[in-house]
Amino acid sequence: STTLNSSRDYLNAYQLVNYVSTCVSIIARDISRLEYQLVDNSGNEVNDKKIVSLLQSPYRSMSWRNFTYMCVNHLLLDGNVFILLNPNTMLDIKNKTFGEIVPINPANVFIFDEMGRTVLSNTQFTSYEVQFFRSYLQDHYVDILPENMHHIKRPSPHNPLRGMGVVQKNAPILDADRLITLYNNQFFAHGARSNLLLSPKDDEAYNPDSYKQAVDTFYDKFTGSNNWGKPFFSPMAVEVKPITMSHTDSQVLDQKKMTREDIAAMFGIPAVISQIYTNAKYDSAEQQLQTYSTITLPGWGSPIEEGITNIIQKINPGVNFKFIYPSRIMSSDAKDMVDRGAM
């Protein structure tokens, strides 16, 4: 089992699980910095002033880069991006259109299917139609019709209505890393000392009250960071044995290193970009960068492209949204990149 069980947990993994924030930030930063273009169905560039204005400032004081950064964060962590199509003028309301697109925290959005059932990413029953979304907005819950909420998702194997992100797909591995971090924090919180087994030499010397008093005295004088460096002195006649292995013996350091590599692989980030420099190779650095820009960025960016295209086509059906990605891998380079371990 895992403690990562809900959208709130998946988003909190950004802070609670080592290195997840690094990987998510790298991808979100790079996608939000990409240039984009508006094209028609033939690939010719289009200049639609209303769409351009919307993308320049999707939501009041939110810039396009901040909007994209937040959307990519939600997609990577939770597998779901919810964008509210919000009218901001009376004309928008009259024309049943919108002037703002607002990213909503996935932890605050619930999906209800055609039978009125709540659908989660691990819901096993099959649902094909969203009846409405329920979202927590401005201190209360609001029911939102599907035409007013655009939903971008990474497909879940359980049902077609709610997506599944990297954190949920890899929850056991990420949870293990979180628990190792908690173990490490507790180790230093208790003075970076081993746990001790205290065995009274004379069992009859203590009744329950005196034993508890002796243990409390020992705990107060010996444990915690405030007692770092103080000499050990037992207030009772006991045999003391350390029972905790060192970080090296318990392979905590090796496990942390392995988990970092696993997390980078989950998000598709090569060593030269993931900042795991022990695995970075100078002779394949260029190829790793090409792999990242050709495979990783388009892989995470394409759902955002499709989502934005669907939104702007409500304004102009003939317009498509495309990111402009860096250089692509040529087929003639692929064999050399595999030989160098870059892909």
Side-chain angles (χ1 to χ4, degrees):
S1 63
T2 173
T3 60
L4 300 171
N5 296 311
S6 68
S7 288
R8 197 171 303 280
D9 294 333
Y10 309 146
L11 296 176
N12 285 340
Y14 188 90
Q15 296 172 285
L16 298 179
V17 182
N18 241 358
Y19 205 60
V20 165
S21 60
T22 300
C23 293
V24 171
S25 296
I26 288 172
I27 296 174
R29 175 200 65 197
D30 291 343
I31 291 180
S32 67
R33 287 177 175 177
L34 292 174
E35 298 293 331
Y36 64 84
Q37 58 183 351
L38 303 176
V39 297
D40 61 21
N41 294 331
S42 300
N44 301 311
E45 193 165 355
V46 174
N47 183 19
D48 187 302
K49 293 183 179 180
K50 186 172 183 179
I51 294 175
V52 170
S53 176
L54 175 68
L55 297 183
Q56 285 177 343
S57 182
Y59 175 57
R60 299 178 191 177
S61 60
M62 178 176 282
S63 68
W64 166 251
R65 285 189 175 180
N66 287 342
F67 173 86
T68 311
Y69 192 98
M70 180 174 289
C71 289
V72 175
N73 266 269
H74 291 170
L75 184 68
L76 292 169
L77 293 168
D78 188 68
N80 296 277
V81 182
F82 296 99
I83 301 175
L84 178 64
L85 310 182
N86 189 44
N88 61 353
T89 65
M90 292 302 296
L91 184 61
D92 290 335
I93 297 174
K94 179 180 178 181
N95 294 334
K96 295 183 179 180
T97 183
F98 54 93
E100 297 177 331
I101 47 178
V102 187
I104 307 297
N105 187 328
N108 294 333
V109 179
F110 303 91
I111 299 175
F112 291 83
D113 69 1
E114 66 275 12
M115 298 181 65
R117 300 174 296 187
T118 305
V119 181
L120 305 176
S121 55
N122 57 355
T123 297
Q124 297 294 331
F125 55 77
T126 302
S127 301
Y128 293 101
E129 183 180 344
V130 176
Q131 183 179 11
F132 63 91
F133 300 93
R134 180 167 292 164
S135 180
Y136 192 73
L137 300 172
Q138 297 180 347
D139 300 327
H140 64 282
Y141 283 100
V142 177
D143 291 345
I144 302 169
L145 295 176
E147 56 264 32
N148 296 326
M149 177 83 86
H150 189 75
H151 182 196
I152 303 170
K153 56 184 177 290
R154 298 282 291 184
S156 164
H158 298 301
N159 68 76
L161 294 188
R162 187 156 189 135
M164 180 182 291
V166 173
V167 174
Q168 185 177 359
K169 288 179 180 178
N170 299 277
I173 293 176
L174 298 176
D175 212 23
D177 183 82
R178 189 183 68 84
L179 294 173
I180 288 172
T181 301
L182 292 175
Y183 165 82
N184 194 54
N185 290 344
Q186 287 297 311
F187 177 75
F188 286 102
H190 288 284
R193 298 175 179 177
S194 298
N195 292 329
L196 300 176
L197 174 64
L198 277 63
S199 302
K201 292 182 178 180
D202 185 358
D203 291 341
E204 297 181 357
Y206 296 96
N207 59 43
D209 291 337
S210 61
Y211 181 78
K212 182 179 184 304
Q213 182 180 6
V215 170
D216 289 345
T217 302
F218 175 83
Y219 188 89
D220 182 59
K221 297 294 184 182
F222 179 72
T223 61
S225 57
N226 291 334
N227 291 315
W228 282 10
K230 292 183 180 180
F232 170 71
F233 173 77
S234 173
M236 54 187 178
V238 295
E239 181 182 2
V240 180
K241 293 181 180 179
I243 59 173
T244 302
M245 293 185 293
S246 68
H247 276 45
T248 301
D249 292 337
S250 60
Q251 296 185 314
V252 169
L253 301 179
D254 289 340
Q255 178 63 41
K256 293 290 288 183
K257 179 176 180 293
M258 183 181 72
T259 306
R260 287 184 67 193
E261 296 168 357
D262 288 341
I263 293 173
M266 291 172 195
F267 290 99
I269 302 180
V272 72
I273 294 174
S274 67
Q275 302 171 15
I276 305 177
Y277 297 117
T278 53
N279 295 338
K281 297 180 180 179
Y282 175 78
D283 63 344
S284 66
E286 184 177 353
Q287 285 86 352
Q288 289 184 51
L289 290 170
Q290 277 188 294
T291 301
Y292 173 72
S293 62
T294 301
I295 298 175
T296 301
L297 288 186
W300 292 114
S302 60
I304 305 296
E305 287 179 309
E306 293 172 8
I308 298 300
T309 293
N310 288 333
I311 290 173
I312 63 177
Q313 284 185 349
K314 295 178 184 294
I315 299 174
N316 186 338
V319 179
N320 302 280
F321 176 92
K322 296 290 183 184
F323 283 122
I324 302 174
Y325 295 103
S327 60
R328 300 278 180 162
I329 295 174
M330 302 297 293
S331 59
S332 57
D333 298 329
K335 182 180 183 302
D336 183 51
M337 295 175 73
V338 172
D339 292 340
R340 290 171 177 262
M343 62 180 293

